[in-house]
Amino acid sequence: MERETMCIQAGYEPKNGESRMIPIIQSTTFKYDTSEDMGKLFDLEASGYFYTRLQNPTNDYVAAKICALEGGSAAMLTSSGQAASFYSVFNICSAGDHVVSSSTIYGGTYNLFAVTMKRMGIEFTFVDPECSDEELEAAFRPNTKAVFGETIANPALIVFDIERFAKAAHAHGVPLIVDNTFATPINCRPIEWGADIVTHSTTKYMDGHDATVGGCIVDAGKFDWFKYADKFPGLTTPDESYHGIVYAKKFGLEGAFITKATSQLMRDLGSIQSPMNAYMLNLGLESLHVRVPRHCENALKVAEFLEKHDKIAWVNYPGLESSKYYDRAKKYMPDGTCGVVSFGVKGGRSAAEKFMSKLKVAMIATHVADAHTCVLHPASATHRQMNDEELMAAGVGPDLVRLSVGIENIKDIITDLEQALAVC
Ligand SMILES: *Cc1c(COP(=O)(O)O)cnc(C)c1O
């Protein structure tokens, strides 16, 4: 199947007389005929549902669709993108372990790694994604367990060199985790470039309508946990909470990562997506392949308009030929990048704030990457916990305005920008 067809049909195949749309199994629990049947589920000897804190069929239909779109072997939904990022790392890291991460990542992920996971005893080294090979090499330690990056960094819009980081990760016997939220599998499939685990905030383009918060983790099923068995004991040694099963043995390389995350992390932390939200996410996915190209088309027109405007200091959009990342974007995302454009208004922070207050079509919102055009000043919102030095390292200057171009008529979007720039 091509991606367009997968958006509509993958993940759920109704049998004779069954509902055309995925059923919403809005139930906490599931009934079994015998205690023995139930016991097999608790031993992971049989697959099935018993409690929605761990797994739910509606979620699994939708996860299977995203899995197909990304070309993975197994996937799971989470309650948010944050939960997906956390699970993807915590599934293979414990206190005393270390992770190499790109420094230009979403502010929430940065905080999760640098503050909250640090409190759990996991250390992160943040590297500039454009660093030299020597610098990248120097970031690894004997206890490094993963490398993390974002296909297109939110909001720095730096295009991550997936192949380069995959090679470095694999040379050190660890997987590469890529947050593919901004590109979506319509524009880029990180697994094809060597990524081992792909995460999403489905809250963004996948849902696409400002309706539901959610996340997803997809495993490529290619990383050989046994080859580096001493690094990943959680996957290669017995789990006593399930009578000594070994995930990588019992579920194979294709199933081990997601089964472990479901049966340990979901069991203990319960960041499950509600079946109702999964249903709405599925509605969004059905038009993802139609919406994403329109977002990219509108964003390119906006970027070209801003680039020529005399009140604009600079424009950053990886789809612009003037962008430093244009060639790399063409390699990884030949059909388009994303709908988000960042720029600086001449006059810095205060001019940016004045300009934003005059916008009418573009609404000020913390959100990005959905049908509605919206605008944000990250230094005073999503990234406000960072000092100026950290802001610069994350690629987010204090004057940066992030515009998420929606799928309204492009004429209305540009007219709005024009009138707001006229008065600032
Ligand atoms: C929004 C976002 C997240 C966090 O997702 P939530 O669904 O808000 O928890 C993670 N990564 C990226 C790139 C994001 O844009």
Side-chain angles (χ1 to χ4, degrees):
M1 269 196 241
E2 297 296 327
R3 275 173 255 195
E4 291 80 355
T5 314
M6 287 177 185
C7 280
I8 313 284
Q9 302 212 355
Y12 171 66
E13 244 178 273
K15 296 188 195 75
N16 197 33
E18 286 182 350
S19 64
R20 179 63 201 89
M21 286 303 280
I22 57 170
I24 305 167
I25 310 292
Q26 190 68 46
S27 178
T28 58
T29 192
F30 300 81
K31 173 251 173 193
Y32 286 91
D33 288 341
T34 68
S35 299
E36 198 192 334
D37 289 346
M38 182 73 104
K40 283 186 188 143
L41 301 178
F42 276 88
D43 283 349
L44 301 181
E45 283 306 328
S47 70
Y49 300 93
F50 54 93
Y51 192 49
T52 291
R53 181 181 356 103
L54 288 88
Q55 245 186 318
N56 175 282
T58 308
N59 292 17
D60 285 351
Y61 295 135
V62 183
K65 177 175 281 186
I66 298 172
C67 186
L69 281 166
E70 287 288 4
S73 68
M76 68 197 283
L77 295 190
T78 55
S79 56
S80 67
Q82 286 298 101
S85 302
F86 175 59
Y87 279 28
S88 70
V89 174
F90 200 59
N91 203 32
I92 46 175
C93 289
S94 302
D97 288 340
H98 170 259
V99 176
V100 175
S101 172
S102 162
S103 61
T104 57
I105 51 174
Y106 173 66
T109 314
Y110 178 85
N111 207 63
L112 167 70
F113 290 172
V115 180
T116 299
M117 292 186 77
K118 187 166 189 244
R119 283 174 50 208
M120 297 172 167
I122 299 169
E123 281 226 53
F124 289 78
T125 298
F126 294 96
V127 295
D128 183 332
E130 300 302 308
C131 68
S132 69
D133 288 344
E134 294 70 36
E135 285 168 307
L136 180 55
E137 195 56 31
F140 285 89
R141 301 179 190 169
N143 59 342
T144 302
K145 298 295 169 74
V147 176
F148 189 98
E150 263 172 49
T151 316
I152 307 174
N154 173 12
L157 303 177
I158 291 169
V159 177
F160 190 56
D161 195 345
I162 304 172
E163 260 188 326
R164 175 184 179 217
F165 278 79
K167 271 193 200 121
H170 296 159
H172 289 272
V174 302
L176 174 66
I177 305 171
V178 174
D179 178 337
N180 196 33
T181 299
F182 266 30
T184 83
I186 300 304
N187 284 342
C188 180
R189 296 209 268 197
I191 290 172
E192 289 174 354
W193 301 100
D196 301 286
I197 312 288
V198 174
T199 61
H200 281 279
S201 166
T202 62
T203 319
K204 312 296 164 56
Y205 291 118
M206 285 190 168
D207 169 274
H209 300 84
D210 266 346
T212 60
V213 172
C216 184
I217 307 171
V218 181
D219 178 17
K222 290 180 187 155
F223 193 83
D224 190 350
W225 308 108
F226 278 119
K227 192 166 167 196
Y228 310 100
D230 55 325
K231 281 189 199 286
F232 305 104
L235 285 152
T236 58
T237 61
D239 178 355
E240 295 312 333
S241 67
Y242 289 104
H243 296 300
I245 63 147
V246 175
Y247 290 98
K249 202 189 258 169
K250 182 144 182 84
F251 302 100
L253 298 184
E254 311 76 41
F257 189 89
I258 295 296
T259 307
K260 177 177 184 289
T262 301
S263 50
Q264 290 180 342
L265 299 182
M266 270 306 176
R267 178 194 63 189
D268 296 349
L269 301 168
S271 318
I272 193 91
Q273 190 165 136
S274 84
M276 191 65 219
N277 279 10
Y279 178 85
M280 289 196 275
L281 167 58
N282 185 56
L283 289 180
L285 288 167
E286 291 199 354
S287 63
L288 186 68
H289 60 298
V290 182
R291 291 182 288 107
V292 165
R294 177 60 69 86
H295 278 287
C296 296
E297 190 187 312
N298 280 357
L300 184 58
K301 286 184 184 151
V302 163
E304 286 167 350
F305 162 79
L306 290 171
E307 201 171 37
K308 288 194 211 103
H309 202 287
D310 60 6
K311 286 195 180 165
I312 297 297
W314 54 269
V315 180
N316 179 14
Y317 181 64
L320 271 182
E321 271 181 58
S322 61
S323 164
K324 207 170 122 189
Y325 302 103
Y326 181 77
D327 291 335
R328 196 183 293 158
K330 277 279 169 246
K331 169 181 167 179
Y332 290 111
M333 293 162 259
D335 299 331
T337 53
C338 67
V340 182
V341 178
S342 63
F343 56 93
V345 181
K346 282 182 187 162
R349 191 185 266 258
S350 62
E353 281 169 2
K354 182 149 184 234
F355 157 75
M356 283 172 58
S357 72
K358 300 291 178 199
L359 290 166
K360 295 186 179 93
V361 173
M363 288 165 267
I364 297 180
T366 322
H367 198 39
V368 273
D370 73 83
H372 314 83
T373 294
C374 60
V375 67
L376 183 79
H377 183 228
S380 55
T382 46
H383 287 60
R384 71 181 294 135
Q385 77 281 3
M386 292 187 179
N387 60 37
D388 277 6
E389 202 172 80
E390 287 171 329
L391 280 174
M392 295 313 288
V396 188
D399 66 335
L400 184 146
V401 174
R402 182 183 74 182
L403 181 70
S404 175
V405 182
I407 52 176
E408 299 93 341
N409 189 302
I410 186 62
K411 280 188 246 163
D412 292 328
I413 300 170
I414 289 187
T415 304
D416 189 37
L417 296 171
E418 225 161 16
Q419 63 80 22
L421 284 169
V423 294
C424 78

